[in-house]
Structure formats: C-alpha cells, structure tokens
Amino acid sequence: MTILSARSRVEPFHAMDVLREANALAGAGHDVLSLAVGQPSHSAPRGVLEAAKAALDNEKLGYTDALGRMETRRAIAAHYADRYGIEVPAGRIAVTTGSSAGFSLAFLAVTDPGGRVAITAPGYPAYRNIIRALSLEPVEIATDPADDHMLTVASLEAAHRERRIDALLIASPANPTGAVTDRHHLAALMDFCRDEGIAFISDEIYHGLRYTGDDRTALSHSDDVIVINSFSKYYCMTGWRIGWMVLPEAMVRPVECLAQSLYISAPDLSQVVAPRAFECTDELERIKDGYRANRELLLERLPAMGISFAAPPDGAFYAWCDVGAHTNDSMDFARRMLSEIHVAAAPGLDFDPVNGSRYMRFSYAGSTDTIARALDRMADWLGN
C-alpha cells in the first residue's frame, strides 16, 4: 500500500475544478462562457508563430544550459533596458519552465525546510500550495480594501515580530485582485526586508497589463531582489511554458544547480521563439485594448447586479468582487452559476481560505463577446 506524504495533501485549485466541470459541459454540447481562468483567449503573437515554424524546420532542438540559451537571456536583458531603462546583465537572468518553476527555485534557494514565506491574502493559491509542497510554511497576511489591497509595512512587521519570516512574495499587479502596489509601498517593503534579512521576491508576471499607469519593476529600487516574470500573460504564451528570473549575482549559481536537476532546461523551442514577442508590441497592445473594453463592461454592469468591486481592478485581467448580497458560499454560487446558466467563474475560497466565501474572481481575459454574453446571462439569473 502506497503511503502518501503530508506534502502531497495540498488543497485543490478550485478554479481548475470549475474549469473541469465547464469543459465537461462544453463537451456535452452546452454553450459555456468562461470567466474562470486567467488565460488569454488569443494565440501567441504572429511573429512568435512564424518563428516557431521556421525553428521546427531549421533548428536542432534539445537540452540547453539550465539557465537558458544565452541569446534568450540577452533578449530579456535588452527588454529591461527598453521597457524600464534598467541595465540587467544577461548573466543574472535564468530562463525557466514558466513562472511556476521560478517560484519553486526561488523558495528552494532562500529557505530551509520549515522556513516561513509571507504572501498576501487574497492571493494566488499556487503560491500557498507550492510553499507547502516544499515543506515550508505559508504566512498569509490579510490585506485591507482600505489600502487598495496593498500589503503595508506595519502588517508585515507585525507578522515578522510574532515569528520570523524568511521570505516575502509580492505580486503587482496581483491575482486575484488586480491591485497594484505603488512605488512608495513597494520601496518601503523592500527596505524593511533588507534591514531584517528577509528575501524579497517580486512576481511581475502581469506587467504590461496595467490600466491606470506604468509598471514599475522592483529592480528600479534594488538589485538585491528576485524578480519572476513570464511570457504567459501579456505575451499570450501560456502553453509555451517559458518564464524567467532576474537574480542577485550570488544566487545565480545555486539556482543553476537546482535547475539542472529539477528541470534540466526550459523548452528549447520556446526559448528560441519567445524573444520575438518583444517585437510584437502593436499586436499585443490591440489585445490589451480588448481587455480594457472587457474591464469597462464589468465596471459598468456588475454593480447593477448587486456585485461590488472589493479591489480596484487596476491591472492584470481580474475583478475581485463581493457577492455577499447573493451568497455567503462562493463555491456553491460558482457551481450553481455554472450548472444553471453555464457561466464559469472562480470561487473566492481559492484565493482566501479564511474570508473568501463571499468573494468571486471574474477573469476578463476572454473575448468581449464572451464577457458581454456572460453578463447578460448573469443579469437575467440574478433578476437584474
């Protein structure tokens, strides 16, 4: 009889369970409209697809260095110069199998078993589950709508004084709230972490998807941070499994050694073609215009249904909403909405196990037609 480890007993990602049920309904011939998953409905940019066709014909694809092809790392370094005006040596960049590998590598590199990693609540559930699977302890620090769901130094300090924290992970823009941590909060958090010897990890996977200002990378304030990013969201390349890390110099070799054994290397085809995405800004901005239109639809129509915004949707492609006027069980609400009107959305329980029962996350990464039709169904269903 196989004995399962405690590390294997992580909570399910309920949004993926909803997606599975939605796919089953769609497979049975139902017209399912999904606001559940944070995946662009668009394919990778045309330049990437054309480069992939050429690479399949002409490249010998295989393993690469664990840190990635040097030409890919140089292209990412050039991106930081072009986008942020920051010089990042290519030698400090590691190409990863999506951002997920980056999180695992970062946690392993800066903590020992039993180490404590602070994350925000609400927050992306995979953070919590990866941390637990690595025999670490997630420290979920609640954020306040009054602070636009930005983590404050006071909250971090209180948790740290109660029991030492080894690493802090901040996402901006954030999943599920879409909230952006402004430059002053970000700098204050980084300074506190520096003074207390807490490793600072910045998840910047939703950079490029901000609607109220410009993105600011943590590298603008300090080199002594770990930045994790990906081609999945803004660049519409979820299935290509290609991301990157920017590392402090002292962490490059340890991360390389970990990656050699855990992942060998990121997919070679993706490494070859991903830099072309940096050249497709016009196409990607047109896609972003679609998200912006979808966002406006949600802002206009959800409040009329008695669904309020619990955070300002300033970035990413999510709305974090209070459905307390209709239910105190967001999982039941999600299941009924899917079964009765075939609209899928993510229950708040995923993102905040303590207070998520009255919240839902609505993704507006799909087409504007999908968003509009889903809102029509919801309005009829809720009697608005």
Side-chain angles (χ1 to χ4, degrees):
M1 176 179 169
T2 301
I3 306 299
L4 295 177
S5 71
R7 289 178 297 182
S8 71
R9 294 194 290 271
V10 297
E11 284 292 310
F13 194 166
H14 296 291
M16 299 307 294
D17 289 345
V18 170
L19 178 63
R20 184 184 65 243
E21 294 174 25
N23 288 338
L25 283 169
H30 297 285
D31 179 26
V32 176
L33 304 175
S34 181
L35 309 179
V37 180
Q39 173 168 268
S41 60
H42 294 267
S43 180
R46 182 175 298 276
V48 170
L49 298 177
E50 291 172 350
K53 292 174 184 176
L56 289 172
D57 288 336
N58 302 312
E59 294 277 353
K60 181 181 178 182
L61 302 171
Y63 296 138
T64 72
D65 291 346
L67 293 175
R69 284 178 171 249
M70 182 50 72
E71 58 266 36
T72 306
R73 298 163 72 193
R74 290 193 183 108
I76 294 169
H79 166 70
Y80 279 90
D82 294 342
R83 180 77 182 244
Y84 305 102
I86 295 174
E87 296 298 324
V88 177
R92 286 177 45 209
I93 292 169
V95 182
T96 59
T97 306
S99 62
S100 299
F103 296 127
S104 298
L105 290 166
F107 297 149
L108 286 167
V110 300
T111 63
D112 290 313
R116 305 178 79 232
V117 181
I119 54 178
T120 60
Y124 179 48
Y127 297 152
R128 180 193 323 122
N129 292 339
I130 293 170
I131 290 165
R132 286 179 175 155
L134 295 176
S135 296
L136 304 171
E137 180 185 346
V139 181
E140 298 189 69
I141 304 176
T143 56
D144 192 331
D147 297 314
D148 291 338
H149 281 290
M150 288 185 290
L151 178 66
T152 64
V153 171
S155 295
L156 174 62
E157 182 174 12
H160 183 59
R161 299 302 177 216
E162 182 177 334
R163 187 174 162 210
R164 176 175 171 76
I165 288 170
D166 299 293
L168 169 66
L169 171 59
I170 289 290
S172 178
N175 178 8
T177 60
V180 174
T181 301
D182 67 41
R183 60 184 297 177
H184 304 294
H185 277 80
L186 190 65
L189 288 167
M190 294 170 69
D191 289 345
F192 179 82
C193 288
R194 178 201 61 212
D195 294 344
E196 296 294 325
I198 300 170
F200 189 93
I201 305 168
S202 181
D203 176 1
E204 301 180 0
I205 190 173
Y206 290 103
H207 273 211
L209 297 174
R210 186 173 176 186
Y211 310 100
T212 58
D214 295 327
D215 297 313
R216 182 175 177 83
T217 176
L219 296 164
S220 298
H221 188 70
S222 173
D223 282 338
D224 193 25
V225 296
I226 302 164
V227 168
I228 296 174
N229 207 325
S230 169
F231 289 93
S232 290
K233 306 299 184 178
Y234 177 73
Y235 300 101
C236 302
M237 295 179 64
T238 52
W240 298 74
R241 308 314 303 135
I242 179 83
W244 73 85
M245 308 172 75
V246 182
L247 299 162
E249 186 65 45
M251 283 188 62
V252 173
R253 181 58 176 164
V255 166
E256 180 180 25
C257 292
L258 286 165
Q260 286 170 343
S261 293
L262 291 176
Y263 305 106
I264 300 181
S265 63
D268 195 13
L269 175 63
S270 300
Q271 292 193 54
V272 170
V273 305
R276 289 291 299 275
F278 294 135
E279 304 167 14
C280 299
T281 302
D282 289 346
E283 180 180 352
L284 292 166
E285 285 298 303
R286 287 193 295 272
I287 293 170
K288 183 179 176 181
D289 286 341
Y291 303 148
R292 187 178 283 108
N294 296 347
R295 175 178 176 269
E296 291 302 318
L297 274 176
L298 295 181
L299 286 169
E300 175 188 348
R301 298 195 59 188
L302 285 178
M305 303 178 201
I307 297 174
S308 60
F309 287 81
D314 292 336
F317 32 54
Y318 306 115
W320 180 244
C321 294
D322 187 339
V323 293
H326 302 288
T327 185
N328 285 316
D329 185 344
S330 60
M331 191 70 209
D332 176 71
F333 188 83
R335 286 189 169 129
R336 286 191 295 109
M337 190 165 69
L338 180 59
S339 64
E340 294 174 21
I341 61 171
H342 300 157
V343 173
L349 183 65
D350 263 336
F351 309 98
D352 187 345
V354 176
N355 299 306
S357 59
R358 62 178 291 159
Y359 297 97
M360 296 283 292
R361 189 197 72 177
F362 298 100
S363 169
Y364 51 93
S367 70
T368 302
D369 176 70
T370 294
I371 305 299
R373 292 171 59 211
L375 290 170
D376 287 343
R377 291 185 191 178
M378 289 174 62
D380 289 342
W381 186 54
L382 295 172
N384 296 101

